Every structure is written in C-alpha cells, then in structure tokens.
Amino acid sequence: MTAIEPNARALPEQCAYSDLPSELFVMDGNGGEDEQIVRPSTTYWHDVWQAFRRDPLAMGGAIFIVLMGLCAIFIPMVSPYSYDGFFPLIRNQGPSWEHLCGTDQMGRDIMIRILYGARISLTVGIVAAVINFFIGVIYGGISGYVGGMVDMVLMRIVDILTSLPSLLYIVLIMLVLGSNVGSVILALCFTSWIGTARVVRSEVMRLKHSEYVLASRLSGATTRHILFHHLIPNAMGPIIVSTAFLIPNAIFSEAFLSFLGIGIQAPMASWGALANEAIPIMMTSPHQLLFPVAAICLTMFSFNFIGDGLRDALDPRMKH
C-alpha cells in the first residue's frame, strides 16, 4: 500500500467531477478577500501627473507660468496703454492705481511693457526649447543607436561646437540677420541642443540591447521604427526633464542679450531691454528696474521648479 499524507484525501482514481463531495470546493480563509484589487489600475502618465500635483513648488510654478501667459495675451488687448509712444506728462511716475508698476522715462506704462516682454521671452524660450528638443532627439538617437564610426564622428562634431565661444557666433548671427526675435532664437538654438543630444544618446545606448528591441529587430522592424517607436518613448522621462530646463536657460539668455544691447531692440519690449533702460535712473526710480528683474526671477524660478517636479515625478525611484 502507498502511504497517504495526513492532509490528503483519498479519492477514487476514476470518478466524475459530479461525484466529488461539495465540501472540497469550499473556499478557505477570508473568502477571497486577498485576491481583491485595492488600488485602481492607472497608467504611467497618470501616476506622473499625480506625483507632479503633490509637489507644491512645481504646481505653483506651473500656475504662475499659465497666469503669466494669459495676462501677456489678453491684458494688452484691453488696456488703454501702449508699449510704445511718448507721454511726457506722466514720465517717471511711481506705482499707483492707474499705473500699477509706474511709468518709464517716456511715460509708457511699465506693466504693459513687461507683459509685452513676457510675450517675447516666453515665445523665445518655448520655441527654442521645442527646436532643441527635435534636433537633440534625432541627433542623439542616431548617434546612440548606430554607434561605431557614426557615433564617433557625431560626437566629435559636438565637441567642436562646444569649444566655440557662444558669444562669438551669437554676435555674428546678430550682425548678419539683425536684432530680431528670429535671429535670437537661431542664436540660442545653435548649440543648446547638445545637452539634449547627449542625454538621448546615453539613454538609447542603455536601452538598445533590451529584449523588446532585439525582438523588434528580429521581426524585421526598420531602424527608424525601432528608434522612434521603442527607444525614444522609453527614454522620454529624462528627455522631458532636459527640455524643461532648456526653457529658463533660453529666457535668461534672451534677457542677457537684450540687456547687453545685442538682443531685442527698442521700441520692442524685452525684459532685458527694460532693465538696461532703467540702469541710468535706478537711484531715483528704482521701480523701473525692480519690476523687470522680478519678472525674470519669478519666471526662472517657476520653470526650474517645474523641471524639478518633472524630474521627481518621472523617476520611478522617487515613488512612495
């Protein structure tokens, strides 16, 4: 005879399921409560949004940028004041209910000029970041995925561009194309994509030997399909963070160029140009320098807070 374990039930070798006693099918324990799903199923980007919302500094920065953009678009449309012109009767007035930020040396409302400057600064920052994003993703993706001689040549080009003094080619671009928004964006995009390209290259080199990439390659997928449908989407977290930090850098660079007098020129309003115009009278009318500088600082802080929040939200190691 074969020994039967103490907890085992001896059943006939040949029996129908209908002949089995019903007590064998009684669920033990807590009735299956351990199998219940206690957390609703969510997507990766939903978790990212929830983590971003829990960061007060990031949400505060995002709200400030949205409000700044809306004010820059709509307030100048309904305001009775213009960003240009000459109004000698109200020159160099301090802040008041009629002019919340005061007036400048030409009698122009400073708040309206700051909002017009916000249009230029936000446009330059966002457009430059988007252009740098596409250039950096394509350049870094090709370099990281193809590798070999192609990677070496592309990286040596990057090293050469990095070694060039940025102010030199910026001044040359301004001399050839003039001081306008387009030339400023072109100057800022000349080498700003290098950081994004290096991030993309490192991520692609890390992911290109993964199992899903090998399976896609064996199934006959093209290099472009693998790069833009598998590698780039899986490396999107660091890419988004890198792009988010490009926006404040572009805004500060535009303000710096305008402050030096080689960026946006009068009568167009730019935060750097407003600060430059206020330097000669900063002792008698400090508000003319204070408000443009405050706009630059708050915008820079807001975008940096957004970048920090995105970095924490997109990093799986920061999940609680």
Side-chain angles (χ1 to χ4, degrees):
M1 295 180 62
T2 304
I4 302 177
E5 296 180 4
N7 295 332
R9 296 176 183 267
L11 296 175
E13 294 183 359
Q14 296 181 351
C15 63
Y17 288 106
S18 59
D19 297 335
L20 296 176
S22 60
E23 58 268 15
L24 293 178
F25 300 95
V26 176
M27 185 175 295
D28 298 331
N30 53 12
E33 293 181 359
D34 293 338
E35 304 295 330
Q36 294 180 359
I37 299 176
V38 297
R39 183 178 184 272
S41 178
T42 58
T43 62
Y44 170 73
W45 293 109
H46 182 268
D47 290 340
V48 169
W49 167 241
Q50 293 300 324
F52 184 82
R53 286 179 56 187
R54 289 193 292 268
D55 191 335
L57 292 178
M59 283 301 298
I63 293 172
F64 176 82
I65 294 301
V66 171
L67 292 177
M68 173 69 76
L70 294 176
C71 292
I73 294 173
F74 295 108
I75 289 182
M77 294 181 180
V78 299
S79 176
Y81 308 110
S82 175
Y83 74 95
D84 56 358
F86 179 59
F87 309 96
L89 298 179
I90 54 173
R91 295 172 55 190
N92 296 325
Q93 290 187 357
S96 62
W97 288 111
E98 186 175 3
H99 302 281
L100 296 179
C101 297
T103 60
D104 62 3
Q105 304 176 65
M106 306 292 288
R108 298 167 296 195
D109 187 84
I110 294 178
M111 188 183 73
I112 297 301
R113 288 180 61 78
I114 290 176
L115 293 178
Y116 270 101
R119 289 183 177 183
I120 295 176
S121 296
L122 294 178
T123 300
V124 168
I126 294 174
V127 172
V130 170
I131 294 175
N132 289 325
F133 169 81
F134 285 106
I135 297 176
V137 166
I138 295 173
Y139 195 96
I142 294 173
S143 177
Y145 184 74
V146 177
M149 184 61 67
V150 174
D151 178 50
M152 187 188 69
V153 172
L154 293 179
M155 287 299 101
R156 297 299 77 75
I157 294 175
V158 166
D159 294 337
I160 294 172
L161 293 176
T162 306
S163 64
L164 294 174
S166 59
L167 191 59
L168 175 62
Y169 61 78
I170 288 175
V171 172
L172 292 176
I173 291 174
M174 295 297 176
L175 290 176
V176 174
L177 301 179
S179 299
N180 52 64
V181 176
S183 60
V184 171
I185 293 176
L186 178 61
L188 296 179
C189 292
F190 194 77
T191 57
S192 298
W193 53 269
I194 291 177
T196 303
R198 285 175 170 167
V199 171
V200 175
R201 173 180 176 269
S202 63
E203 290 296 317
V204 168
M205 293 182 68
R206 182 178 63 88
L207 296 171
K208 70 178 181 179
H209 296 297
S210 302
E211 290 81 0
Y212 60 89
V213 177
L214 297 177
S216 180
R217 188 182 305 162
L218 291 174
S219 65
T222 62
T223 299
R224 185 178 64 178
H225 180 85
I226 295 174
L227 186 60
F228 292 103
H229 288 80
H230 296 290
L231 294 176
I232 299 301
N234 283 280
M236 193 54 67
I239 297 173
I240 292 176
V241 174
S242 176
T243 304
F245 283 111
L246 285 177
I247 299 177
N249 291 336
I251 291 175
F252 182 79
S253 298
E254 182 274 326
F256 176 71
L257 294 176
S258 299
F259 181 80
L260 294 179
I262 58 177
I264 305 300
Q265 300 295 323
M268 298 182 67
S270 171
W271 290 342
L274 293 178
N276 188 20
E277 293 173 359
I279 290 296
I281 57 172
M282 61 178 298
M283 300 303 296
T284 57
S285 301
H287 65 278
Q288 297 189 27
L289 179 64
L290 174 64
F291 290 111
V293 171
I296 296 173
C297 294
L298 291 175
T299 304
M300 294 281 294
F301 280 130
S302 298
F303 276 114
N304 283 319
F305 290 150
I306 293 173
D308 290 337
L310 288 174
R311 181 188 58 198
D312 296 340
L314 291 167
D315 189 354
R317 294 170 296 181
M318 300 298 293
K319 303 284 192 246
H320 297 287

